[in-house]
Amino acid sequence: MVLSRLVCAFLLVACCCCRRAAGVPGEAEQPEPELVEVELGSTALLKCGFSHSQGNFSHIDWFSVHKEKSTLIFRVRQGQGQSEPGEYQHRLSIQDKGSTLALTHVTPHDERIFLCQDKRPWSQEHRIQLRVYKAPEEPSIQVNALGISVNSRELEEVATCVGRNGYPIPQVIWYKNGQPLKEEKNRIHIQSSQIVESSGLYTLRSVLKAQLLKEDKDAQFYCELNYRLPSGNHMKESREVTVPVFYPAEKVWLEVEPVGILKEGDRVEIRCLADGNPPPHFSISKQNLSTREMEEETTDDNGILVLEPAQKQHSGLYQCQGLDFETMALLQSDQHELLVNYVSDVWVSPAAPESQEGSNLTLTCEAQSNQTLEFQWLREKTGKVLEKGPVLQLHNLKREAGGGYRCMASVPSVPGLNRTQLVNVAIFGPPWMALKERKVWVQENAVLNLSCEASGHPRPTISWNVKGMANEQDRDLQSVLSILNVLVTPELLETGAECMASNALGKNTTIIFLELDSSRTGLNMSTVSPHARANSTSTEKKLPKPESKGVVIVAVTVCVLVLAVLGALLYFFYKKGKLPCGRSGKQEMERNTSI
């Protein structure tokens, strides 16, 4: 029995040795295939590298092994190559005297084992594993635009990452704020799937699901694709995205713009803010000073209470209320005191001051404010500051002291907060003419506007001694301007025009002289006599008539003739040598010396 077992074992070993010596493919123990890595579309060089360096490559067969099935694809005979019909028929060639098989336009379907076999002088083979790589496109990321509520009990989709046309399948890693995310029960789940395109490339789709917190409202999410190429490991990142996170408000507060000291006339905006998303529905209330109850104010479409212009009655306590429609919780802000600084209307006493020339006058200014006030008086027509304080004393009044005075009440602690009041001081007296006499150059039969200005208290009236259309304009409370539209006639040239201003205390006149000038095409500006602006009544007198232009022409002509005669005489003496200058004078001196 033992002898029979030994005989069987011997025969089995002998049989194996004989089969290995006979070169039967696949029966011997196969070594690990040689690895060749190429990128998609490039050329793979498959070198038939036998264990002995002096291999004979004149008789080699190449096989492709797919799903454990070997298919002859190429033959090498005496250094010449021949493709077998099939999928590799037009993509194979030999290099290096037949030791290397070149496969062009590599595709993902070419990732398999290639086997070269040489049966001379004895059967031997070499196996090559071809690996194909293709970098995926830049990953695209799509965020959940609808947002995620922190109150959701299920994991919600945060974003989706897609990497297209890669080979082999890339690996995806999700990041939040630069930190990689891992699966976490009831917190984070990453669901990935892939699609094989007709080209053999892969499209990867990865969905990140998570339960977010309020702290994630500003979190930055992105995905990373890791892949391999013959040159090594690589990665591509998507852009960063932020998902809307919805969470209930915990606090409501009130905000006022502008920040700082407020004054009457400012545009003030009062708005409510909350730390929830979306914000609750807001309302703004103000305390009623009479009842001490908070009463709701009317806001604009954005829920903002606009005070424009702000007034002192807008001062008071304000409060915001926020209603969260998801939790139905009502939140209230702290009360905020709004202070609008103001200055009341300014009163001047007396309101319509009147006084006689030579007398004294006292003007008093009053106003109210919630702050300390400062007063000053200014002359209206010059802007000059006359007095600092609420009282202005005017002594020994002259007619020139009449007119406007302005009192300004201001708050030094609130820049730009002030009120003013203008008061006109009237000085009793007869009319005062702006001009006593005027002269105007005119053209006959032309239409002319004559003006006359007077002031006084009581306010004077103006009349003309010639017919025409008169129009009066008030300059101020004591002054009046009258404009008369007339036709220049020979009679008007002869008599001139006179305007008379009169009131209960007297009268005064302005005389206008008209001079005809046929050479002028327009009217000349009026000339004021030295007696203009005299307040006393003066004797009317005509101005001297201008000199005749003919006299001027004659004088100029005589001067030109005298100069011409003088020039002729000088030239005559020069020619005759009577003038001791130039070369002639020099010759005369030499002649005298010789004598």
Side-chain angles (χ1 to χ4, degrees):
M1 185 71 177
V2 175
L3 181 60
S4 61
R5 289 181 177 179
L6 292 174
V7 171
C8 289
F10 176 76
L11 292 176
L12 180 60
V13 172
C15 180
C16 289
C17 292
C18 291
R19 291 175 66 88
R20 180 175 297 179
V24 178
E27 294 295 332
E29 182 181 351
Q30 299 293 335
E32 286 294 324
E34 178 188 354
L35 181 63
V36 175
E37 297 178 320
V38 294
E39 287 195 51
L40 181 76
S42 62
T43 299
L45 300 178
L46 310 176
K47 187 174 181 61
C48 191
F50 294 117
S51 59
H52 61 284
S53 59
Q54 301 296 326
N56 183 5
F57 300 105
S58 63
H59 191 100
I60 296 177
D61 291 334
W62 283 91
F63 298 87
S64 74
V65 181
H66 184 57
K67 296 183 179 179
E68 299 183 358
K69 179 181 179 181
S70 298
T71 302
L72 180 64
I73 60 174
F74 201 82
R75 298 176 184 269
V76 179
R77 299 293 184 268
Q78 301 300 325
Q80 300 296 319
Q82 177 63 45
S83 293
E84 293 295 320
E87 61 176 320
Y88 293 105
Q89 183 175 0
H90 302 293
R91 294 195 290 142
L92 296 174
S93 62
I94 58 173
Q95 296 180 8
D96 300 334
K97 300 180 181 181
S99 65
T100 302
L101 181 67
L103 173 60
T104 61
H105 306 297
V106 173
T107 71
H109 302 292
D110 296 329
E111 186 171 276
R112 59 186 63 184
I113 292 178
F114 291 86
L115 183 148
C116 69
Q117 191 177 73
D118 184 5
K119 294 185 178 182
R120 296 181 183 181
W122 56 81
S123 180
Q124 55 184 336
E125 65 182 29
H126 182 70
R127 297 162 63 87
I128 301 172
Q129 174 67 60
L130 180 62
R131 296 291 185 190
V132 181
Y133 299 95
K134 163 69 169 61
E137 299 174 4
E138 294 291 334
S140 62
I141 188 170
Q142 184 67 39
V143 71
N144 179 2
L146 297 179
I148 298 175
S149 173
V150 297
N151 295 326
S152 176
R153 297 183 178 181
E154 298 181 356
L155 299 183
E156 298 287 345
E157 180 179 324
V158 177
T160 301
C161 179
V162 178
R164 302 183 184 278
N165 298 323
Y167 193 88
I169 303 173
Q171 299 296 318
V172 63
I173 300 178
W174 282 94
Y175 289 84
K176 182 181 80 170
N177 296 331
Q179 299 298 319
L181 297 175
K182 295 181 179 180
E183 288 275 350
E184 185 178 342
K185 187 178 181 181
N186 297 329
R187 290 280 293 122
I188 300 174
H189 176 61
I190 300 174
Q191 180 180 344
S192 299
S193 61
Q194 57 272 349
I195 300 174
V196 181
E197 307 291 348
S198 60
S199 61
L201 301 177
Y202 291 100
T203 293
L204 175 68
R205 185 175 184 271
S206 179
V207 179
L208 173 64
K209 294 184 178 182
Q211 187 174 30
L212 300 184
L213 304 176
K214 178 180 178 180
E215 292 74 19
D216 297 322
K217 60 185 178 66
D218 298 319
Q220 300 287 327
F221 295 90
Y222 68 94
C223 63
E224 175 186 283
L225 297 182
N226 292 283
Y227 58 95
R228 177 173 169 75
L229 295 177
S231 58
N233 294 324
H234 299 267
M235 54 85 75
K236 290 183 177 180
E237 294 179 344
S238 73
R239 62 185 177 90
E240 294 183 331
V241 295
T242 301
V243 63
V245 179
F246 303 125
Y247 47 90
E250 299 176 356
K251 182 180 179 181
V252 174
W253 64 93
L254 183 146
E255 191 175 84
V256 178
E257 290 185 0
V259 178
I261 299 176
L262 303 178
K263 65 179 182 297
E264 279 191 318
D266 288 344
R267 173 186 170 89
V268 179
E269 293 185 358
I270 302 176
R271 57 169 53 86
C272 298
L273 300 173
D275 59 354
N277 185 35
H281 174 72
F282 292 119
S283 61
I284 301 177
S285 300
K286 181 178 182 292
Q287 186 183 58
N288 186 313
L289 295 179
S290 301
T291 63
R292 298 295 178 180
E293 297 291 332
M294 302 299 293
E295 298 179 353
E296 185 173 346
E297 298 286 317
T298 302
T299 60
D300 62 11
D301 295 338
N302 298 319
I304 300 175
L305 177 60
V306 180
L307 309 178
E308 186 180 21
Q311 299 175 355
K312 70 174 183 178
Q313 58 265 31
H314 291 142
S315 297
L317 293 178
Y318 289 82
Q319 188 178 45
C320 282
Q321 296 85 32
L323 176 62
D324 193 314
F325 288 125
E326 184 175 355
T327 62
M328 299 307 295
L330 180 63
L331 301 175
Q332 290 186 338
S333 70
D334 295 334
Q335 291 184 344
H336 181 93
E337 183 175 6
L338 185 74
L339 177 61
V340 179
N341 294 286
Y342 70 93
V343 175
S344 69
D345 291 336
V346 178
W347 301 278
V348 175
S349 177
E354 299 176 329
S355 185
Q356 301 287 342
E357 281 193 273
S359 63
N360 300 328
L361 179 64
T362 300
L363 301 178
T364 303
C365 187
E366 296 181 6
Q368 295 179 353
S369 175
N370 63 319
Q371 303 287 349
T372 302
L373 284 173
E374 285 187 358
F375 294 89
Q376 62 180 1
W377 285 92
L378 302 92
R379 189 69 158 113
E380 178 67 11
K381 62 182 179 181
T382 63
K384 180 182 178 181
V385 177
L386 302 177
E387 186 70 43
K388 289 187 177 181
V391 178
L392 175 65
Q393 296 280 354
L394 300 176
H395 300 284
N396 192 21
L397 291 173
K398 304 295 183 183
R399 179 183 294 271
E400 292 81 359
Y405 294 82
R406 184 174 296 275
C407 174
M408 175 182 291
S410 60
V411 177
S413 60
V414 184
L417 179 57
N418 62 73
R419 286 285 186 94
T420 66
Q421 178 62 47
L422 176 65
V423 62
N424 282 282
V425 174
I427 308 298
F428 286 103
W432 186 37
M433 309 304 294
L435 300 173
K436 288 297 294 178
E437 297 173 347
R438 297 173 59 191
K439 180 174 63 176
V440 181
W441 296 98
V442 299
Q443 285 184 316
E444 191 172 357
N445 297 322
V447 177
L448 181 64
N449 284 332
L450 300 177
S451 63
C452 181
E453 183 177 357
S455 62
H457 185 68
R459 176 182 173 277
T461 58
I462 294 179
S463 60
W464 295 84
N465 69 338
V466 294
K467 293 182 179 180
M469 183 178 295
N471 178 34
E472 285 193 1
Q473 302 174 5
D474 290 332
R475 309 289 279 183
D476 54 46
L477 295 179
Q478 286 83 41
S479 299
V480 62
L481 173 67
S482 178
I483 299 177
L484 180 68
N485 185 264
V486 295
L487 177 66
V488 178
T489 62
E491 292 80 4
L492 184 61
L493 287 171
E494 179 66 25
T495 62
E498 180 183 83
C499 74
M500 176 181 292
S502 59
N503 64 9
L505 300 179
K507 63 180 180 178
N508 212 335
T509 60
T510 292
I511 302 173
I512 302 175
F513 299 101
L514 304 181
E515 292 291 339
L516 185 62
D517 185 1
S518 59
S519 64
R520 295 176 182 258
T521 58
L523 299 180
N524 190 20
M525 297 297 294
S526 61
T527 58
V528 183
S529 73
H531 302 286
R533 302 191 179 277
N535 193 34
S536 59
T537 304
S538 62
T539 305
E540 299 178 6
K541 59 180 179 180
K542 291 187 178 289
L543 295 177
K545 292 186 178 181
E547 295 179 1
S548 173
K549 291 193 295 183
V551 176
V552 176
I553 295 174
V554 171
V556 172
T557 303
V558 171
C559 291
V560 172
L561 291 176
V562 170
L563 290 175
V565 172
L566 182 59
L569 290 175
L570 290 175
Y571 183 77
F572 174 80
F573 288 120
Y574 173 79
K575 284 296 186 177
K576 294 295 185 178
K578 299 299 183 180
L579 293 178
C581 60
R583 296 179 61 186
S584 299
K586 184 178 180 180
Q587 292 174 1
E588 183 66 26
M589 290 176 63
E590 291 176 351
R591 187 180 302 115
N592 293 335
T593 304
S594 62
I595 295 175

